Amino acid sequence: MSLAVVYSRAQAGIEAPLVSVEVHLANGLPGLSIVGLPETEVKESKDRVRAAIINSQFEFPARRITISLAPADLPKEGGRFDLAIALGILAASEQIPSQSLEQFEFIGELALSGKLRGIRGVLPATIQTARAKRSLFVASSNADEAALVSAATIYPAQHLLNVCAHLSKQTLLTPHVASASTLQQANINTTTNLSDITAQHHAKRALEIAAAGGHSLLMIGPPGSGKTMLASRLPGILPPMTEAEALQTAAIQSISYHGFNARNWMQRPFRTPHHTASGVALVGGGSQPRPGEISLAHNGVVFLDELPEFERRVLEVLREPIESGKIVISRAARQAEFPARFQLIAAMNPCPCGYHGHSNGRCRCTPGQILRYRSKISGPLLDRIDMHIDVPALPIKDLNKINHSQEESSDQVQQRVSKARQIQIERSQCSNSQLTNTNIKAYCQLQKKDAVLLENAIEKLGLSARAYQRILKVARTIADLENEECINTKIITEAISYRRLDRAAI
């Protein structure tokens, strides 16, 4: 036999399209050529593969070898095709059987010795392989990550010889199963607890509402008032992740620069980019598009501390993904789409010095300075943030009187949040923050007097139609937390109170 076909997977954004590695041996001067839009790393694989085959005590064919990576119009990058190319050469030269190759897919980089090295982005490839009903061979270092896909059959190997022995039915590999310690990560309590925060009951209430409905939240208050502490407690009160959500999040992290850490399985991400971050760092980009902070926080939280310190043009790139839950990155040669269904939590000071309205009277900022400081956040972006709240500083004398044992724990709040979120999923198949206009009309109806109350508030605060809809969504979440079928006057009044930091109210 002089022709063999081996299956592998490329990486294209969050997708892992199938690649057929076709190997043909022909008579003629010895040589090896790779076609099918290979990047530099793929072209270099011929030297790695040659050395790995020879050092594994196989014979490297002294013939003209042509390797086609199909489809030809899909760019191929990285060393992920090394294993498939090596097996294709061995099968085409009849050194290993080729009959069973169509049942498997192979991903892994080869060392010169024939050892298998792990690659980045194995999780999206595993998901696609499972859907194709094939088994996947990976490096042992990728096995725990790949085994997180419960429907997949994963064969871990440390060396090219291990794979060849399995295909030859000499020494069969055992399918890998994710370790119990990895799968139980969701049951590990976080070290941060909502009960650590004293008082600030209004802010805690807003945080609970934000968690229950997936709403974005802006906290404004002086330094030391607890804004960062509140934000860091949000992941602990969010509903537990489903396996589907966990796989989506892990798949995005798998293709990132740092890769996916299996110890973070079933844990909602909490990303805190510094205010010097660029727009590309936030939404992703590069000549070979990679996910940014908002995609790495998919199904989790992005916390932007010192919001006005971010460059305005950087903040503006958030406007579209906040609405759509995805980001499309277009470059001259490539286009990639990444999910970005994140929960935005932001914090800022009330003025440049941070002490406007503080009881210590230290603020000397003029109204013009305060206005310029707050104007760094554009109206359209502020309009897209569901809730705006004050987080005032607590007097020291009041702090000493507080009994920490009386504060609610994160577990107690999470139970209410999870119950409210389940109501939303059963009603509309999504959280309240994602309700469409049609859903808002169906599930957020108001009595006549409450509708008049809301209209008057909209006119007084100068809010937009988008803000009107977001108030209704927040009100629906409050009703779900209270287990109320209808939105009543008390609920709509509370929802309106969370918009009092809007542009017209400053």
Side-chain angles (χ1 to χ4, degrees), residues 95 104 112 117 141-142 204 212 224-225 232 281 289 339 344 346 348 358 389 409 417 427 460 468 480:
Q95 297 182 68
F104 306 107
L112 300 185
R117 291 174 175 155
S141 58
N142 284 143
K204 287 182 180 180
S225 58
S232 65
L344 175 64
M348 61 179 286
H358 198 285
I389 63 168
S409 68
V417 167
R427 180 177 57 226
K460 183 176 180 180
Y468 172 82
D480 292 336

Side-chain angles (χ1 to χ4, degrees), residues 368-402:
Q369 290 174 323
I370 296 174
L371 183 61
R372 283 192 297 273
Y373 176 74
R374 298 189 182 185
S375 296
K376 293 180 180 179
I377 308 170
S378 70
L381 177 62
L382 194 64
D383 205 33
R384 286 169 167 83
I385 299 178
D386 297 339
M387 306 167 66
H388 319 145
I389 63 168
D390 259 331
V391 184
L394 294 177
I396 300 298
K397 62 179 182 179
D398 292 341
L399 288 175
N400 295 329
K401 298 177 182 178
I402 294 172

